[in-house]
């Protein structure tokens, strides 16, 4: 057994810095590279792409990246685990295989993890007694079923471990949890059992630290952002995992960024609920047991983590179309910029009423004044400039289209010293709403397909 | 006693879970944590945010890292892709909470 393994984060979300994964493989030794691409809204975009072309439905940017990344992975003997497969991991795997064949990487093993996409079985699951009620509202899924655009179960580390055991060097998954792709190598390498709850929980915490990329290593770091070196080439986090379940969080020395107790604490708090029960498909991790210790520059030890048995459910992420939004902006300059922006708001709202346009919500914000901090913001007497932003949401597309014509005319019809209308009419965006639900684990089976490049 | 803004006692990070914003605040020094726990109560936080939070506020203690995690329900205008808020994911709720003032002992050492 290896004394430890290094699992490097290469991507915090689809659209993150493109060369970070390349740097992680080039700038120092690692054993695994993990890349998270998926968010709830992403799955629905990918389903639309797959509808148009059955060979699509994965993170498209991932394939050109592999032209550069795959040779580095092969040269440095690094395994890649990524959920870039979206709603079509097999198609993504075939696209990677084509690159591998062209570059002559014979006998390279590539795997796809799928089975998470339940969009086409929703009816039969509901008939089979799996209600998948909305976890927040308790509403029945049947009320939105006709608008559903994607439905995926969140798998944990299990199918990824299976792919690793089949010898895959590149594993492309569908909706596997962000934490599962970091946990899986630890289980595979150290032979952890599926009831080693404390170790599994430690692995999940390693995953939580890796899942947002540089947000654990000096990015978006409130306590000391001015002291973070070389953010232009920030080093993404690397989890050094040990067989007993402790971790050391670090980064490549040649890159910028910072790993400290404070950077790790901020990331631990990111998007968590009750810290005593961080629920994943494999284990419930208790964030109140985590201990941190700075043991050297850019090295933080994570230890003493406790976990509890997993639940009988998978979380399900269902997205459905739910109307449209449209948001317009224009900018007013000093003097009395805020007063002008407020007048503009009054005018637009009167116009909407005059035209008989109806919306579920109309919201006004003053950017540069208090759009972020609202009523907690410090009042400014006479701001240098204010961006007036007004947005509407509704189901009636023609009313939304009519709204989109109402902001730019303010330039010649409303208060003076106004600019920033170069973008013209604001565009409509389809609202993809999110339906969180649970599904009993026995209702769905993960699948693993491994191929060897000829 | 003197009044002091939380920004001098804690750092923070925030994010979204549906229509709920989570705000974690972390003591800048270990000795500040008991003060945060005593003064930054559910009621104080609810009062601080006022109309910005339409639902309830929950608080969780993380003594192990000197932190408090708050869930602000109904804070994100519907959340996700529904919201019309510029800060759709509540990313800036973190420093919004750090504007809050609390009473601390006169002899408390603060950078």
């Amino acid at each position: 057994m290896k004394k430890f393994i290094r699992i490097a984060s290469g991507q915090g979300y689809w659209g993150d810095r493109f060369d970070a994964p390349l740097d992680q493989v080039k700038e120092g030794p690692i054993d695994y590279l993990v890349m998270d691409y998926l968010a709830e809204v992403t799955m629905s975009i990918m389903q639309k792409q797959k509808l148009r072309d059955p060979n699509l439905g994965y993170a498209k940017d991932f394939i050109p990246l592999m032209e550069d990344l795959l040779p580095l992975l092969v040269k440095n003997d690094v395994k890649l685990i990524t959920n870039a497969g979206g709603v079509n991991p097999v198609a993504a795997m075939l696209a990677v295989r084509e690159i591998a064949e062209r570059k002559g990487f014979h006998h390279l093993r590539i795997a796809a993890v799928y089975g998470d996409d339940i969009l086409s079985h929703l009816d039969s699951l509901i008939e089979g007694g799996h209600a998948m009620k909305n976890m927040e509202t308790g509403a029945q899924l049947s009320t939105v079923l006709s608008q559903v655009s994607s439905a995926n179960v969140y798998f944990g580390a299990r199918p990824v471990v299976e792919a690793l055991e089949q010898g895959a060097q590149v594993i492309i998954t569908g909706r596997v949890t962000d934490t599962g792709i970091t946990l899986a190598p630890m289980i595979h390498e150290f032979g952890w059992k599926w009831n080693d709850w404390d170790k599994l929980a430690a692995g999940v915490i390693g995953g939580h630290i890796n899942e947002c990329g540089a947000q654990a290593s000096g990015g978006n770091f409130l306590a000391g952002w001015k002291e973070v070196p070389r953010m232009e080439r920030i080093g993404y986090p690397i989890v050094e995992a040990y067989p007993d379940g402790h971790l050391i969080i670090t980064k490549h020395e040649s890159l910028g960024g910072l790993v400290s107790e404070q950077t790790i604490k901020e990331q631990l708090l990111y998007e968590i609920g009750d810290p005593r029960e961080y629920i994943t498909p494999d284990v419930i991790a208790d964030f109140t047991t985590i201990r941190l210790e700075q043991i050297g520059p850019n090295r933080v030890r994570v230890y003493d983590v406790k976990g509890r048995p997993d639940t009988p459910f998978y979380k399900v992420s269902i997205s459905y179309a739910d109307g449209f939004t449209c948001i317009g902006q224009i900018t007013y300059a000093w003097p009395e910029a805020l007063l002008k922006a407020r007048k503009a708001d009054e005018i637009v709202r009167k116009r909407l009423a005059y035209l008989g346009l109806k919306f579920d919500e109309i919201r006004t914000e003053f950017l540069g004044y208090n759009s972020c901090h609202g009523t907690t913001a410090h009042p400014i007497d006479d701001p240098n400039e204010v961006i007036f932003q007004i947005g509407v949401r509704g189901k009636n597309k023609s009313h939304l289209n009519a709204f989109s014509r109402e902001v730019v005319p303010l330039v010649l019809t409303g208060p003076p010293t106004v600019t920033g209308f170069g973008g013209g009419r604001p565009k409509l965006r389809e609202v993809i709403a999110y339906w969180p639900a649970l599904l009993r684990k026995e209702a769905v089976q993960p699948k693993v397909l491994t191929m060897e490049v000829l | 006693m003197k009044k002091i803004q939380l920004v001098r006692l804690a750092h923070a990070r925030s994010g979204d879970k549906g229509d709920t914003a989570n705000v974690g605040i972390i003591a800048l020094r270990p000795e500040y944590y008991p003060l945060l726990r005593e003064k930054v109560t559910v009621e104080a936080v609810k009062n601080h945010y006022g109309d910005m939070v339409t639902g309830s506020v929950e608080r969780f203690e993380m003594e192990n890292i000197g932190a408090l995690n708050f869930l602000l329900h109904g804070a994100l205008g519907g959340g996700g892709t529904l919201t019309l808020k510029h800060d759709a994911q509540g990313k800036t709720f973190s420093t919004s909470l750090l504007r809050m003032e609390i009473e601390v002992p006169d002899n408390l050492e603060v950078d």
Side-chain angles (χ1 to χ4, degrees):
Chain A
M1 192 194 297
K2 288 176 186 155
K3 281 188 181 151
F4 65 88
I5 52 169
R6 302 179 195 88
I7 307 162
S9 164
Q11 179 108 26
Y13 66 100
W14 190 6
D16 201 359
R17 200 169 276 173
F18 80 93
D19 50 1
L22 302 171
D23 274 346
Q24 288 291 59
V25 184
K26 277 194 286 198
E27 295 292 320
I30 59 168
D31 303 289
Y32 289 85
L33 180 70
V34 295
M35 294 170 66
D36 176 31
Y37 276 87
L38 300 182
E40 279 100 23
V41 63
T42 321
M43 303 306 281
S44 122
I45 296 167
M46 288 172 167
Q47 284 290 12
K48 277 187 194 154
Q49 291 169 346
K50 190 182 171 190
L51 266 181
R52 282 196 291 269
D53 180 345
N55 296 314
L56 294 181
Y58 51 82
K60 269 195 262 179
D61 305 356
F62 171 67
I63 303 305
L65 171 70
M66 284 299 273
E67 296 278 353
D68 298 324
L69 185 58
L70 190 59
L72 292 168
L73 296 173
V74 171
K75 179 173 157 231
N76 296 327
D77 194 22
V78 172
K79 292 189 168 84
L80 170 67
I81 307 170
T82 176
N83 57 22
V87 299
N88 205 349
V90 173
M93 176 179 71
L94 294 175
V96 171
R97 186 180 68 168
E98 191 273 317
I99 295 171
E101 277 175 358
R102 178 158 36 83
K103 292 185 186 288
F105 297 134
H106 307 298
H107 309 300
L108 179 80
R109 279 177 170 259
I110 308 176
V113 169
Y114 59 107
D116 57 296
D117 184 354
I118 56 168
L119 182 62
S120 57
H121 333 306
L122 284 178
D123 287 320
S124 59
L125 283 166
I126 292 171
E127 274 169 35
H130 301 284
M132 292 178 277
K133 286 185 194 167
N134 188 308
M135 282 168 73
E136 283 162 16
T137 64
Q140 295 287 348
L141 182 57
S142 52
T143 58
V144 297
L145 202 55
S146 61
Q147 296 140 262
V148 168
S149 52
S150 75
N152 295 77
V153 164
Y154 284 79
F155 287 143
R158 278 175 193 264
V160 180
V161 173
E162 199 181 318
L164 287 168
E165 266 145 32
Q166 291 175 13
Q169 185 170 353
V170 174
I171 300 170
I172 302 164
T173 77
R175 187 62 271 197
V176 167
T177 56
D178 314 352
T179 55
I181 57 177
T182 291
L183 169 62
M186 303 182 208
I187 298 168
H188 170 67
E189 295 275 356
F190 304 142
W192 291 351
K193 303 285 180 290
W194 291 106
N195 60 0
D196 284 339
W197 306 117
D198 295 346
K199 288 176 182 157
L200 297 178
V204 161
I205 283 156
H208 184 84
I209 291 167
N210 259 348
E211 75 180 5
C212 295
Q215 203 177 221
S217 54
N220 190 24
F221 173 46
L222 184 63
W225 63 274
K226 282 175 279 193
E227 281 77 48
V228 175
R230 297 176 65 215
M231 286 172 126
E232 71 282 3
R233 269 193 86 194
I234 198 163
Y236 281 40
I238 297 171
V239 175
E240 260 180 38
Y242 290 78
D244 69 355
H246 85 271
L247 315 169
I248 294 171
I249 313 304
T250 187
K251 66 171 194 70
H252 287 320
E253 274 313 308
S254 61
L255 298 172
L258 177 71
V259 176
S260 69
E261 284 187 36
Q262 286 186 319
T263 67
I264 301 301
K265 284 178 183 175
E266 286 193 18
Q267 177 54 21
L268 287 177
L269 284 161
Y270 184 63
E271 289 183 354
I272 63 165
D274 183 343
R276 294 164 301 190
E277 46 180 41
Y278 183 94
I279 301 172
T280 78
D282 304 303
V283 64
I284 298 174
D286 183 348
F287 275 44
T288 68
T289 62
I290 302 168
R291 303 236 155 241
L292 302 177
E293 184 192 0
Q294 186 97 39
I295 55 168
N298 294 309
R299 290 181 71 78
V300 173
R301 188 165 171 262
V302 179
Y303 61 104
D304 261 6
V305 175
K306 299 282 182 281
R308 297 196 299 280
D310 58 326
T311 78
F313 301 99
Y314 284 126
K315 193 174 172 196
V316 184
S317 163
I318 298 170
S319 63
Y320 62 101
D322 194 23
F324 304 87
T325 59
C326 185
I327 299 176
Q329 290 184 344
I330 50 170
T331 305
Y332 289 96
W334 185 91
E336 299 179 310
L338 184 62
L339 214 61
K340 292 168 188 165
R342 287 196 197 283
K343 183 69 182 175
D345 182 44
E346 183 193 317
I347 296 165
V348 173
R349 284 172 184 261
K350 280 184 175 163
R351 286 281 306 170
L352 299 182
Y354 165 71
L355 296 168
L357 303 176
K358 295 272 192 297
F359 303 99
D360 296 337
E361 189 188 355
I362 306 174
R363 184 183 183 91
T364 302
E365 292 189 340
F366 301 110
L367 279 60
Y369 180 67
N370 70 351
S371 73
C372 291
H373 284 185
T375 50
T376 73
H378 187 77
I380 312 168
D381 281 346
D382 195 6
N384 290 305
E385 58 204 44
V386 170
I387 298 174
F388 161 59
Q389 173 174 301
I390 184 162
V392 297
R393 187 180 65 244
K395 309 263 190 301
N396 188 328
K397 201 170 181 178
S398 65
H399 287 212
L400 272 284
N401 276 322
F403 164 82
S404 79
R405 293 192 290 264
E406 287 302 318
V407 181
V408 180
L410 283 170
V411 172
L412 301 182
T413 60
T417 41
V418 55
T419 186
F421 47 88
R425 274 192 211 171
K427 291 193 167 52
L428 266 60
R429 282 178 47 181
E430 188 173 23
V431 173
I432 303 299
Y434 170 60
W435 183 279
L438 297 174
L439 180 62
R440 290 198 72 85
K441 282 180 177 162
E442 60 270 19
V444 54
Q445 285 302 318
K447 296 188 179 73
V448 178
L449 176 65
T450 307
M451 286 184 169
E452 192 169 291
V453 175
L454 296 174
Chain B
M1 301 293 263
K2 59 182 176 185
K3 277 203 161 184
I4 185 168
Q5 246 184 342
L6 280 182
V7 70
R8 300 180 67 192
L9 304 174
H11 56 123
R13 178 166 290 177
S14 59
D16 68 319
K17 272 178 140 356
D19 195 24
T20 298
N22 102 289
V23 183
I25 62 168
I26 308 156
L28 283 167
R29 296 189 194 182
E31 63 264 32
Y32 297 161
Y33 177 67
L35 273 170
L36 299 181
R37 193 169 53 185
E38 185 194 343
K39 305 284 185 177
V40 191
T41 60
V42 165
E43 295 71 31
V45 170
K46 176 85 180 147
N47 190 42
H48 176 70
Y49 283 111
D51 294 346
M52 291 170 70
V53 178
T54 60
S56 64
V57 172
E58 288 184 89
R59 185 181 94 156
F60 301 97
E61 297 176 13
M62 294 178 78
E63 189 156 16
N64 55 323
I65 58 166
L68 299 171
N69 185 41
F70 292 91
L71 294 183
L72 315 176
H73 298 291
L76 297 176
T81 58
L82 262 78
T83 186
L84 301 172
K85 279 173 68 71
H86 182 57
D87 184 11
Q89 290 90 17
K91 300 272 186 192
T92 66
F93 271 77
S94 53
T95 53
S96 175
L97 183 53
L98 296 184
R99 288 175 177 275
M100 191 171 136
E101 287 189 328
I102 63 169
E103 282 196 333
V104 300
D106 286 324
N107 60 358
L108 185 79
E109 203 181 302
V110 181
D111 291 328

